Amino acid sequence: MLDSAVTHLVKGIVEHPDDVEVAQKSSPRGEVLEVRVNPEDLGRVIGRSGHTVSSLRTVVNALAQGERVRVDIVDTDR
């Protein structure tokens, strides 16, 4: 459920919504949502001084209802 919510939110931000991929993985410290976007959209998702990704993480934590969830933006340029 969280991965579909993040996908919907990120697709509304980026210029290339077809390139948005969200993978949900489990780790010992909770769930991890890895977000991959087109390299041209990376700055849009992170936002000025990280404000956009911080807001995205706030929304995800509210939707998680107390579960530990981490949102990682994966840089595919490397």
Side-chain angles (χ1 to χ4, degrees):
M1 180 196 115
L2 289 176
D3 55 343
S4 62
V6 171
T7 302
H8 179 73
L9 290 170
V10 173
K11 281 186 176 187
I13 296 170
V14 299
E15 290 284 326
H16 306 281
D18 295 336
D19 293 342
V20 174
E21 296 177 12
V22 178
Q24 187 170 1
K25 298 182 179 183
S26 295
S27 76
R29 298 191 306 173
E31 295 294 316
V32 177
L33 297 173
E34 290 184 349
V35 180
R36 287 181 168 77
V37 297
N38 188 303
E40 294 176 8
D41 292 325
L42 196 57
R44 285 180 170 273
V45 175
I46 294 172
R48 193 170 290 180
S49 299
H51 289 282
T52 304
V53 73
S54 177
S55 298
L56 182 64
R57 288 177 175 141
T58 300
V59 170
V60 168
N61 284 326
L63 290 174
Q65 299 175 348
E67 295 179 29
R68 298 183 117 202
V69 178
R70 192 174 81 221
V71 177
D72 288 342
I73 308 300
V74 180
D75 186 2
T76 56
D77 277 349
R78 297 179 186 199

